[in-house]
Amino acid sequence: MKRCIFCALMLISGASFAVSNATFPENLDEMVLVKQSVIPAKDVVLPESTPTFLQETVKMYNWINHGQGTKINIFVPENKLSSYGEHGPYDDGTTAVAIFEDQDIIFVTEHLAGEALYGTYDRVGNDISHTHPSLHVETCYSCHIGYKEICRGGTCSTPIIDVFTNKN
């Protein structure tokens, strides 16, 4: 009976403690850089035409680097470049990795049986998803599922830096 109570307590407390469900990519240095973008500093005003997804992303992460903004580099395993360009379908394993460079925050998207999994790590592979609400796995799912015009197959496509690029 004591064991059942202990297991129930672990399940209850674990449900409220955010943990990554994607695994840390051990082969990050072998992945291909596919995009570069930014999270602008918290005092930057985005153009009115900025898509809602990007506005929400900036609001969610502008605390990073003490509000000074950060570069984002997005890497994809070489064998998934074609799938990434088409937003799937994806084979099992790491799909994409986004690194907020100035804070060394690593966001991982992985697929398993066609479903996207998410995780947030530091550079050495420690799960940091519990350290801030914007890093929780639930936050990843809500955006990646909630913005279907930009996010498909578990990945999102419009870099924030594009809103600052002149379009002639």
Side-chain angles (χ1 to χ4, degrees), residues 63-121:
W63 62 270
I64 295 200
N65 194 24
H66 309 288
Q68 299 303 306
T70 187
K71 293 186 317 185
I72 305 169
N73 288 321
I74 300 172
F75 297 89
V76 173
E78 190 168 356
N79 67 333
K80 300 232 179 136
L81 288 171
S82 178
S83 296
Y84 182 79
E86 301 286 325
H87 285 288
Y90 295 109
D91 294 332
D92 290 354
T94 301
T95 304
V97 175
I99 302 176
F100 284 19
E101 295 292 348
D102 294 296
Q103 293 291 127
D104 288 330
I105 297 173
I106 298 175
F107 294 90
V108 179
T109 301
E110 178 178 15
H111 278 78
L112 180 62
E115 296 298 320
L117 306 173
Y118 301 101
T120 313
Y121 297 91

Coordinates of all heavy atoms in Angstrom, one line a residue, residues 63-121:
W63 N 12.4 38.2 -22.8 CA 13.1 38.2 -21.5 C 14.5 37.6 -21.6 O 15.4 37.9 -20.8 CB 12.4 37.4 -20.4 CG 12.2 36.0 -20.7 CD1 11.2 35.4 -21.4 CD2 13.1 34.9 -20.4 NE1 11.4 34.0 -21.6 CE2 12.6 33.7 -20.9 CE3 14.3 34.8 -19.7 CZ2 13.2 32.5 -20.8 CZ3 14.9 33.6 -19.5 CH2 14.3 32.4 -20.1
I64 N 14.8 36.8 -22.6 CA 16.0 36.2 -22.8 C 17.2 37.2 -23.0 O 17.0 38.2 -23.6 CB 16.0 35.2 -24.0 CG1 14.9 34.1 -23.7 CG2 17.3 34.7 -24.4 CD1 14.9 32.9 -24.4
N65 N 18.3 36.9 -22.4 CA 19.5 37.7 -22.5 C 19.2 39.1 -21.8 O 19.6 40.1 -22.3 CB 19.9 37.9 -24.0 CG 21.3 38.5 -24.1 OD1 22.1 38.4 -23.2 ND2 21.6 39.1 -25.2
H66 N 18.4 39.0 -20.8 CA 18.1 40.2 -20.0 C 17.4 41.3 -20.8 O 17.6 42.5 -20.6 CB 19.3 40.8 -19.3 CG 20.1 39.8 -18.5 ND1 19.7 39.3 -17.4 CD2 21.3 39.2 -18.8 CE1 20.6 38.4 -16.9 NE2 21.6 38.3 -17.8
G67 N 16.6 40.8 -21.8 CA 15.8 41.7 -22.6 C 16.5 42.4 -23.7 O 16.0 43.2 -24.4
Q68 N 17.8 41.9 -23.9 CA 18.6 42.5 -25.0 C 18.5 41.8 -26.4 O 19.1 42.3 -27.3 CB 20.1 42.5 -24.6 CG 20.4 43.3 -23.3 CD 19.9 44.7 -23.4 OE1 20.3 45.4 -24.3 NE2 19.1 45.1 -22.5
G69 N 17.7 40.8 -26.4 CA 17.5 40.1 -27.7 C 18.6 39.0 -27.8 O 19.6 38.9 -27.1
T70 N 18.4 38.2 -28.8 CA 19.4 37.1 -29.1 C 19.3 36.6 -30.5 O 18.3 36.8 -31.2 CB 19.1 35.9 -28.1 OG1 20.2 34.9 -28.3 CG2 17.8 35.2 -28.4
K71 N 20.4 36.1 -31.0 CA 20.4 35.5 -32.3 C 19.9 34.1 -32.1 O 20.0 33.4 -31.1 CB 21.9 35.3 -32.8 CG 22.5 36.6 -33.2 CD 23.9 36.5 -33.8 CE 24.7 35.4 -33.2 NZ 26.0 35.2 -33.7
I72 N 19.2 33.6 -33.2 CA 18.7 32.2 -33.2 C 19.2 31.5 -34.4 O 19.2 32.1 -35.5 CB 17.1 32.2 -33.3 CG1 16.5 33.0 -32.3 CG2 16.6 30.8 -33.3 CD1 15.0 33.3 -32.5
N73 N 19.8 30.4 -34.2 CA 20.3 29.6 -35.3 C 19.5 28.3 -35.3 O 19.3 27.7 -34.2 CB 21.8 29.2 -35.1 CG 22.7 30.5 -35.4 OD1 22.4 31.2 -36.3 ND2 23.7 30.6 -34.6
I74 N 19.0 27.9 -36.5 CA 18.2 26.6 -36.6 C 19.0 25.6 -37.4 O 19.4 25.9 -38.5 CB 16.9 27.0 -37.2 CG1 16.1 28.0 -36.3 CG2 16.0 25.7 -37.4 CD1 14.9 28.5 -36.9
F75 N 19.1 24.4 -36.8 CA 19.9 23.3 -37.4 C 19.0 22.2 -37.7 O 18.0 21.9 -36.9 CB 21.0 22.9 -36.5 CG 22.0 24.0 -36.2 CD1 21.9 24.8 -35.2 CD2 23.2 24.1 -37.0 CE1 22.8 25.8 -34.9 CE2 24.1 25.0 -36.8 CZ 23.9 25.9 -35.7
V76 N 19.3 21.4 -38.7 CA 18.5 20.2 -39.1 C 19.4 19.1 -39.5 O 20.5 19.4 -40.1 CB 17.6 20.6 -40.3 CG1 16.8 19.3 -40.8 CG2 16.5 21.6 -39.9
P77 N 19.2 17.9 -39.1 CA 20.0 16.8 -39.5 C 20.0 16.7 -41.0 O 19.0 16.9 -41.7 CB 19.3 15.5 -38.9 CG 18.5 16.1 -37.8 CD 18.1 17.4 -38.2
E78 N 21.1 16.4 -41.6 CA 21.2 16.4 -43.1 C 20.2 15.5 -43.7 O 19.6 15.8 -44.8 CB 22.6 16.0 -43.5 CG 22.9 16.2 -45.0 CD 24.4 16.0 -45.3 OE1 25.2 15.9 -44.4 OE2 24.6 16.1 -46.5
N79 N 19.9 14.4 -43.1 CA 18.9 13.4 -43.7 C 17.5 13.9 -43.6 O 16.6 13.3 -44.1 CB 19.1 12.0 -43.1 CG 18.7 12.0 -41.7 OD1 18.8 13.0 -40.9 ND2 18.3 10.8 -41.2
K80 N 17.2 15.0 -42.9 CA 15.9 15.6 -42.8 C 15.7 16.9 -43.5 O 14.6 17.5 -43.3 CB 15.6 15.7 -41.3 CG 15.6 14.4 -40.5 CD 14.4 14.1 -39.8 CE 14.5 12.8 -39.0 NZ 14.1 12.9 -37.7
L81 N 16.7 17.3 -44.3 CA 16.6 18.6 -44.9 C 15.3 18.7 -45.9 O 14.6 19.7 -45.8 CB 17.8 18.9 -45.7 CG 19.0 19.3 -44.9 CD1 20.3 19.4 -45.7 CD2 18.8 20.6 -44.1
S82 N 15.1 17.7 -46.6 CA 14.0 17.7 -47.5 C 12.6 17.7 -46.8 O 11.7 18.5 -47.1 CB 14.0 16.5 -48.4 OG 12.9 16.4 -49.3
S83 N 12.5 16.9 -45.8 CA 11.3 16.8 -44.9 C 11.1 18.2 -44.2 O 10.0 18.6 -44.2 CB 11.4 15.7 -43.9 OG 11.5 14.5 -44.5
Y84 N 12.2 18.8 -43.8 CA 12.0 20.1 -43.1 C 11.5 21.1 -44.0 O 10.7 21.9 -43.7 CB 13.4 20.5 -42.5 CG 13.3 21.8 -41.7 CD1 12.8 21.8 -40.4 CD2 13.8 23.0 -42.3 CE1 12.8 23.0 -39.7 CE2 13.7 24.2 -41.6 CZ 13.2 24.2 -40.3 OH 13.1 25.4 -39.6
G85 N 12.0 21.1 -45.2 CA 11.6 22.1 -46.2 C 10.1 21.9 -46.6 O 9.4 22.9 -47.0
E86 N 9.6 20.7 -46.5 CA 8.2 20.4 -46.8 C 7.3 20.4 -45.5 O 6.1 20.1 -45.6 CB 8.1 19.1 -47.5 CG 8.9 19.0 -48.8 CD 8.3 19.7 -49.9 OE1 7.0 19.8 -50.0 OE2 9.0 20.3 -50.7
H87 N 7.8 20.6 -44.4 CA 7.1 20.4 -43.1 C 6.6 19.0 -42.9 O 5.5 18.8 -42.5 CB 6.0 21.5 -42.9 CG 6.5 22.8 -42.6 ND1 7.0 23.2 -41.4 CD2 6.5 23.9 -43.4 CE1 7.3 24.5 -41.4 NE2 7.1 24.9 -42.6
G88 N 7.4 18.1 -43.3 CA 7.1 16.7 -43.0 C 6.7 16.0 -44.3 O 6.7 16.6 -45.4
P89 N 6.3 14.7 -44.2 CA 6.3 14.0 -43.0 C 7.8 13.7 -42.5 O 8.7 13.7 -43.3 CB 5.6 12.7 -43.3 CG 5.8 12.5 -44.8 CD 5.9 13.9 -45.4
Y90 N 7.9 13.5 -41.2 CA 9.2 13.3 -40.6 C 9.4 11.9 -40.1 O 8.5 11.3 -39.5 CB 9.4 14.2 -39.4 CG 9.4 15.7 -39.8 CD1 8.3 16.5 -39.4 CD2 10.5 16.2 -40.4 CE1 8.3 17.8 -39.7 CE2 10.5 17.6 -40.7 CZ 9.4 18.4 -40.4 OH 9.4 19.7 -40.7
D91 N 10.6 11.3 -40.4 CA 11.0 10.1 -39.8 C 11.3 10.3 -38.3 O 11.5 11.4 -37.8 CB 12.3 9.5 -40.5 CG 12.0 9.2 -41.9 OD1 10.9 8.8 -42.3 OD2 13.0 9.3 -42.7
D92 N 11.3 9.2 -37.6 CA 11.7 9.3 -36.1 C 13.0 9.9 -35.9 O 13.9 9.7 -36.7 CB 11.6 7.9 -35.5 CG 10.2 7.3 -35.4 OD1 9.3 8.0 -35.7 OD2 10.1 6.1 -35.0
G93 N 13.2 10.6 -34.8 CA 14.4 11.2 -34.4 C 14.4 12.7 -34.4 O 13.4 13.3 -34.7
T94 N 15.5 13.3 -34.1 CA 15.6 14.7 -34.1 C 15.2 15.3 -35.4 O 15.7 14.9 -36.5 CB 17.1 15.2 -33.7 OG1 17.4 14.6 -32.4 CG2 17.2 16.7 -33.7
T95 N 14.4 16.3 -35.4 CA 13.9 17.0 -36.6 C 14.5 18.3 -36.8 O 15.0 18.6 -37.9 CB 12.3 17.2 -36.5 OG1 11.7 15.9 -36.2 CG2 11.8 17.8 -37.7
A96 N 14.6 19.1 -35.8 CA 15.2 20.5 -35.9 C 15.6 20.9 -34.5 O 15.1 20.5 -33.5 CB 14.2 21.5 -36.4
V97 N 16.6 21.8 -34.5 CA 17.2 22.3 -33.2 C 17.3 23.8 -33.4 O 17.9 24.3 -34.4 CB 18.5 21.7 -32.9 CG1 19.1 22.4 -31.7 CG2 18.4 20.2 -32.7
A98 N 16.7 24.6 -32.5 CA 16.8 26.1 -32.5 C 17.7 26.5 -31.3 O 17.4 26.0 -30.2 CB 15.5 26.7 -32.5
I99 N 18.7 27.3 -31.5 CA 19.5 27.7 -30.4 C 19.5 29.2 -30.3 O 19.7 29.9 -31.2 CB 21.0 27.3 -30.7 CG1 21.1 25.7 -30.9 CG2 21.9 27.7 -29.5 CD1 22.5 25.2 -31.2
F100 N 19.0 29.6 -29.1 CA 19.1 31.0 -28.7 C 20.5 31.2 -28.2 O 20.9 30.9 -27.1 CB 18.1 31.3 -27.6 CG 16.7 31.4 -28.0 CD1 16.2 30.9 -29.2 CD2 15.7 32.0 -27.2 CE1 14.9 30.9 -29.6 CE2 14.4 32.1 -27.6 CZ 14.0 31.6 -28.8
E101 N 21.3 31.8 -29.1 CA 22.8 31.8 -28.9 C 23.3 32.5 -27.7 O 24.2 32.1 -27.0 CB 23.5 32.3 -30.2 CG 23.3 31.4 -31.4 CD 24.0 30.1 -31.3 OE1 24.8 29.9 -30.4 OE2 23.7 29.2 -32.2
D102 N 22.7 33.7 -27.4 CA 23.3 34.5 -26.3 C 23.0 33.9 -24.9 O 23.6 34.3 -23.9 CB 22.7 35.9 -26.4 CG 23.2 36.6 -27.6 OD1 24.4 36.8 -27.7 OD2 22.4 36.9 -28.5
Q103 N 22.1 32.9 -24.8 CA 21.8 32.3 -23.5 C 22.1 30.8 -23.6 O 21.8 30.1 -22.6 CB 20.3 32.5 -23.1 CG 19.9 33.9 -22.8 CD 20.6 34.4 -21.5 OE1 21.2 35.5 -21.6 NE2 20.4 33.8 -20.4
D104 N 22.5 30.3 -24.7 CA 22.7 28.9 -24.9 C 21.5 28.0 -24.6 O 21.6 27.0 -23.9 CB 24.0 28.4 -24.1 CG 25.2 28.9 -24.7 OD1 25.3 29.1 -25.9 OD2 26.2 29.2 -23.9
I105 N 20.3 28.4 -25.0 CA 19.1 27.7 -24.8 C 18.9 26.9 -26.1 O 18.8 27.5 -27.2 CB 17.9 28.6 -24.5 CG1 18.2 29.3 -23.2 CG2 16.6 27.8 -24.5 CD1 17.1 30.4 -22.8
I106 N 18.7 25.6 -26.0 CA 18.5 24.7 -27.1 C 17.1 24.1 -27.1 O 16.8 23.4 -26.2 CB 19.6 23.6 -27.1 CG1 21.0 24.2 -27.2 CG2 19.4 22.6 -28.2 CD1 22.1 23.3 -27.1
F107 N 16.4 24.5 -28.1 CA 15.0 24.0 -28.3 C 15.1 22.8 -29.3 O 15.6 23.0 -30.4 CB 14.1 25.0 -28.9 CG 13.8 26.2 -28.0 CD1 14.6 27.3 -28.0 CD2 12.7 26.1 -27.1 CE1 14.4 28.4 -27.1 CE2 12.5 27.2 -26.2 CZ 13.3 28.3 -26.3
V108 N 14.6 21.7 -28.9 CA 14.7 20.5 -29.8 C 13.2 20.1 -30.2 O 12.3 20.0 -29.4 CB 15.3 19.3 -29.0 CG1 15.4 18.0 -29.9 CG2 16.7 19.7 -28.6
T109 N 13.1 19.8 -31.5 CA 11.9 19.2 -32.0 C 12.3 17.8 -32.5 O 13.2 17.7 -33.3 CB 11.2 20.0 -33.2 OG1 10.9 21.3 -32.7 CG2 10.0 19.3 -33.7
E110 N 11.6 16.8 -32.1 CA 11.9 15.4 -32.4 C 10.5 14.8 -32.9 O 9.5 15.3 -32.5 CB 12.4 14.7 -31.2 CG 12.7 13.3 -31.4 CD 13.3 12.6 -30.1 OE1 13.2 13.2 -29.0 OE2 13.9 11.5 -30.2
H111 N 10.6 13.8 -33.7 CA 9.4 13.1 -34.1 C 9.5 11.6 -33.7 O 10.6 11.0 -33.8 CB 9.1 13.2 -35.6 CG 8.4 14.5 -35.9 ND1 9.1 15.7 -36.0 CD2 7.1 14.8 -36.2 CE1 8.3 16.7 -36.3 NE2 7.1 16.1 -36.4
L112 N 8.4 11.1 -33.3 CA 8.3 9.7 -32.9 C 6.9 9.2 -33.4 O 5.9 9.8 -33.0 CB 8.4 9.5 -31.4 CG 8.3 8.0 -31.0 CD1 9.4 7.2 -31.5 CD2 8.3 8.0 -29.4
A113 N 6.9 8.3 -34.3 CA 5.7 7.7 -34.9 C 4.8 8.8 -35.5 O 3.6 8.8 -35.3 CB 4.9 6.9 -33.9
G114 N 5.4 9.8 -36.1 CA 4.7 10.9 -36.7 C 4.2 12.0 -35.8 O 3.7 13.0 -36.3
E115 N 4.5 11.9 -34.6 CA 4.1 13.0 -33.6 C 5.3 13.8 -33.2 O 6.4 13.2 -32.9 CB 3.4 12.3 -32.4 CG 2.2 11.6 -32.7 CD 1.1 12.5 -33.2 OE1 0.9 13.7 -32.7 OE2 0.4 12.1 -34.1
A116 N 5.1 15.1 -33.1 CA 6.2 16.0 -32.6 C 6.3 15.9 -31.1 O 5.4 15.8 -30.3 CB 5.9 17.4 -33.0
L117 N 7.6 15.9 -30.7 CA 8.0 16.0 -29.3 C 8.9 17.2 -29.1 O 9.6 17.6 -30.1 CB 8.8 14.7 -28.9 CG 8.1 13.4 -29.1 CD1 9.0 12.2 -28.8 CD2 6.8 13.3 -28.3
Y118 N 8.9 17.8 -27.9 CA 9.7 19.0 -27.7 C 10.5 18.9 -26.5 O 10.1 18.2 -25.5 CB 8.7 20.2 -27.7 CG 7.9 20.4 -28.9 CD1 6.6 20.0 -29.0 CD2 8.5 20.9 -30.1 CE1 5.8 20.1 -30.1 CE2 7.7 21.1 -31.2 CZ 6.4 20.7 -31.2 OH 5.7 20.8 -32.4
G119 N 11.6 19.7 -26.5 CA 12.4 19.7 -25.3 C 13.3 21.0 -25.3 O 13.5 21.6 -26.4
T120 N 13.7 21.4 -24.1 CA 14.5 22.6 -23.9 C 15.7 22.2 -23.1 O 15.5 21.7 -22.0 CB 13.7 23.7 -23.3 OG1 12.5 23.9 -24.0 CG2 14.5 25.0 -23.4
Y121 N 16.9 22.5 -23.6 CA 18.1 22.1 -22.9 C 19.2 23.2 -22.8 O 19.1 24.2 -23.6 CB 18.8 20.9 -23.6 CG 17.9 19.7 -23.6 CD1 17.0 19.5 -24.7 CD2 18.0 18.8 -22.6 CE1 16.1 18.4 -24.7 CE2 17.1 17.6 -22.6 CZ 16.2 17.4 -23.6 OH 15.4 16.4 -23.6

